[in-house]
Every structure is written in structure tokens, then in C-alpha cells.
Amino acid sequence: MSPQGAQQLTLSPGDALIVVDVQNDFLPGGSLAVPHGEEVIPALNRYLDAFVRCGLPVVATQDWHPPDHCSFRVYGGPWPLHCVAGSDGAAHAPALELPADAVIIRKGTQSKQDAYSGFDGTDLDLYLRSQKIRRLFVGGLATDYCVRYTVEDGLNAGYVMVLLRDAVRAVDVRPGDGERAEMEMIRRGAVPIRWEMLAV
Ligand code: VGL
Ligand code: ZN
């Protein structure tokens, strides 16, 4: 039994890990730094190691915007310039231990359209179907934007979505946004877990 007394989860075929937007611009020193964003890296490295050891697929999304992207303040959007395609800020955090065969999904690549969800305008669903994935473990940045929309799209597409609560952090534009986003994901059916709840 886990410390929480809850049922533990066992990884099995049909599971995949999705690491959302763990990119330099969302980390300390980056242009859209998420408070405590760096804390997801050691947490995700544990999950990454578990998935790799089980031979299960790993997907990593990247916010990947053209220089004139509509989400940038200079073009009327809500955000500072961030994750410009090919820039160092758009690169995955060097400390994130992605396996060499991780599938990279880039989103928000069109100037006139933003995409918070890893499913939005990408081949993610197609890829997951091709691998017969039914359950997705999701962590990364940020809880109240790209993680939330990815989880909700996944639920709508019929996947079991497992929210890695110890491997997400929020922008918290308004205090409490991250907590509200987690509650909403769970209300919609996401399964919240922490590392201790994974039987590995
Ligand atoms: C994100 C704001 C703008 C995210 C991406 O990854 O959560 N947030 N672009
Ligand atoms: Zn963005």
C-alpha cells in the first residue's frame, strides 16, 4: 500500500509518458519563466527512467512559435516573446533526461494560431493510436495552460489521462490558477498521482 493508502498504478503496454514544454524559456532565466518550473525536472527524470526501463514510449512537446506569433505581446497577444522556433529558449532543458527515441511534437507553429494543447494541430493522436496507447501520464509546464489543455484534449479523445501532480508547475497569472486547473482536470476525469503511487 502507498503512503496515501491509495491503490498503486502499475505501468503496462498501452501507457505512454508525455512531457509538456520543459523548455528553457519556461525555466528560471527564461523569457516566460514559470515559478519553480525547474522543480519538474528531477521529478520528470524519475518518471522518464521508469518508462524507459519498461520500454514504454515517451513523447515530449515543444512550444515552437514563428517570430511573428500572435501570442506575443508585440502582436497583440498575452505573452512575452518565447519559444521562437530554433532558438535556445525553445530547446528542451539540458537537464531533462529524454531518451534518444523520444517523439518530439511541436505546436503553435502557425503565426496566426496559438496551440496550448499537444493535440492541437499536431500528429500526436495519430502517433498514439499507431502505438496502441490508451493511457497517458502527463507532466511538465505549465499546469494552467499547456498541461491543462493537453489533459483535456486527451480526455475528450478517449484516453485515460494521469496527471503527475509532483511533476507540474503553474504560471499562476492569478494566484490559485494552477490549483484550480488541477481541480478542473480531476473533475473532468484525470487521475492525479504522485511518484509514490507508481509501483516501480
Ligand atoms: C505555455 C504560455 C504560452 C505553456 C505556452 O507551455 O504552458 N504557456 N505558451
Ligand atoms: Zn507559447
Side-chain angles (χ1 to χ4, degrees):
M1 195 129 55
S2 71
Q4 291 80 8
Q7 183 70 47
Q8 291 214 302
L9 289 187
T10 304
L11 296 180
S12 55
D15 291 339
L17 175 63
I18 301 208
V19 175
V20 175
D21 296 8
V22 182
Q23 295 166 266
N24 293 324
D25 272 343
F26 295 126
L27 295 166
S31 62
L32 213 178
V34 175
H36 304 282
E38 75 283 2
E39 293 170 4
V40 304
I41 295 175
L44 283 168
N45 284 343
R46 279 198 293 270
Y47 289 107
L48 282 162
D49 179 61
F51 275 74
V52 168
R53 276 190 285 119
C54 291
L56 295 169
V58 172
V59 175
T61 68
Q62 270 178 319
D63 216 33
W64 198 257
H65 299 316
D68 62 347
H69 193 249
C70 61
S71 79
F72 299 160
R73 267 177 211 138
V74 275
Y75 298 102
W79 305 114
L81 200 87
H82 66 279
C83 297
V84 171
S87 67
D88 185 57
H92 280 119
L96 184 69
E97 291 163 3
L98 288 176
D101 62 354
V103 171
I104 306 298
I105 296 283
R106 291 172 172 166
K107 63 188 174 57
T109 61
Q110 305 295 311
S111 298
K112 296 190 167 124
Q113 227 178 299
D114 204 2
Y116 288 142
S117 161
F119 289 95
D120 192 349
T122 71
D123 288 336
L124 179 56
D125 187 50
L126 202 68
Y127 167 73
L128 295 171
R129 284 171 191 275
S130 77
Q131 299 297 305
K132 303 215 167 8
I133 301 301
R134 294 175 304 275
R135 186 165 68 167
L136 292 176
F137 291 66
V138 187
L141 303 170
T143 315
D144 36 0
Y145 294 94
C146 291
V147 170
R148 175 189 181 166
Y149 283 82
T150 300
V151 166
E152 293 183 354
D153 273 359
L155 288 168
N156 289 335
Y159 296 94
V160 175
M161 300 300 286
V162 179
L163 175 66
L164 306 177
R165 282 186 112 165
D166 50 357
V168 295
R169 291 295 182 275
V171 180
D172 278 336
V173 171
R174 291 162 302 256
D177 277 357
E179 237 161 87
R180 281 188 292 274
E182 286 195 23
M183 303 235 300
E184 182 62 13
M185 288 185 263
I186 293 163
R187 190 188 69 78
R188 291 186 183 217
V191 180
I193 72 158
R194 296 181 177 281
W195 174 252
E196 293 73 25
M197 297 165 72
L198 204 61
V200 286

